[in-house]
Amino acid sequence: CWIAFRQNPLNADVNLMPNRLANENSLYLKQHAENPVDWYPWGEEAFAAAKAVDKPVLVSIGYSSCHWCHVMAHESFEDDSIAALMNEHFICIKVDREERPDVDKIYMESLQMLSGQGGWPLNVFCLPGGEPFTGGTYFPPEDRGQGIVPWPQVLMRISHFYHREKEKLLENADAISKNLTASNNPAQETGGRLDRDHLIPAAEAICAQHDDAHGG
């Protein structure tokens, strides 16, 4: 496990030790390489580590031009005390949505099923195998009176629930997975067949939404 050493004010020559993201190609991921968070890139190593220590996974997705991604990174991911909570209770994965739009799509659809909305940064909490069970977007580092639970409290609540009520999370993750499968494989509802009886009603439904006067 890498340990990110923060710069010692008494010794300006002490450098920060980069985490696993230092070797990634993505410039966005490299921006997080010196966070005190022990970030993993997307891959089997992270999920194997989560299964080995029985910790939930935090998948945090963003991109270089996302304003709130940088805000949350500065407020929380660069903070030693918050990073310590993340490292202790979770296996943390950083994803560049421009590099892995496939990963972003799955987790964004999961969040939209859970909350009816989405956005970035996209922070999704998952079982050790990667199955999502809850998530959100931007969280502040402290209570600012806006009705948003602070990030440290989110971390502790989810970690506590994972170890005390895991069966409920397993059920939630299973339901999300089934809904994702159904929404991305509509042909299953017809036994895998797409024939005239299915295509014509679908085409008629699409045509009925067309605006012949103004387009669109």
Side-chain angles (χ1 to χ4, degrees), residues 4-17 34 80:
F5 292 100
R6 307 307 293 172
Q7 189 172 31
N8 183 343
L10 300 179
N11 184 355
D13 294 329
V14 175
N15 295 320
L16 299 178
M17 182 179 290
E34 292 186 349
D80 291 306

Side-chain angles (χ1 to χ4, degrees), residues 163-183:
H163 293 289
R164 298 294 181 91
E165 303 285 348
K166 188 181 296 185
E167 288 301 317
K168 293 182 179 179
L169 295 183
L170 290 170
E171 293 174 3
N172 202 28
D174 183 61
I176 293 172
S177 296
K178 289 179 178 177
N179 286 335
L180 283 173
T181 299
S183 65

Side-chain angles (χ1 to χ4, degrees), residues 5-64:
F5 292 100
R6 307 307 293 172
Q7 189 172 31
N8 183 343
L10 300 179
N11 184 355
D13 294 329
V14 175
N15 295 320
L16 299 178
M17 182 179 290
N19 56 41
R20 294 171 179 81
L21 302 184
N23 298 321
E24 293 299 300
N25 294 323
S26 163
L27 294 178
Y28 173 72
L29 296 184
K30 286 181 180 293
Q31 292 173 0
H32 293 272
E34 292 186 349
N35 289 168
V37 178
D38 185 24
W39 292 115
Y40 284 78
W42 178 265
E44 288 302 318
E45 181 187 6
F47 297 108
K51 293 173 184 176
V53 296
D54 190 24
K55 288 184 180 180
V57 174
L58 164 63
V59 179
S60 181
I61 303 174
Y63 56 102
S64 294

Side-chain angles (χ1 to χ4, degrees), residues 96-147:
D96 180 351
R97 70 175 289 257
E98 295 179 331
E99 182 180 59
R100 294 301 305 262
D102 54 331
V103 175
D104 176 69
K105 180 178 184 295
I106 291 171
Y107 288 117
M108 182 60 73
E109 288 183 0
S110 301
L111 179 60
Q112 290 171 337
M113 286 181 185
L114 289 165
S115 65
Q117 58 185 357
W120 296 274
L122 175 58
N123 294 293
V124 181
F125 295 93
C126 311
L127 299 176
E131 304 90 343
F133 58 80
T134 191
T137 54
Y138 166 78
F139 294 90
E142 71 278 319
D143 187 354
R144 293 175 175 168
Q146 300 171 335

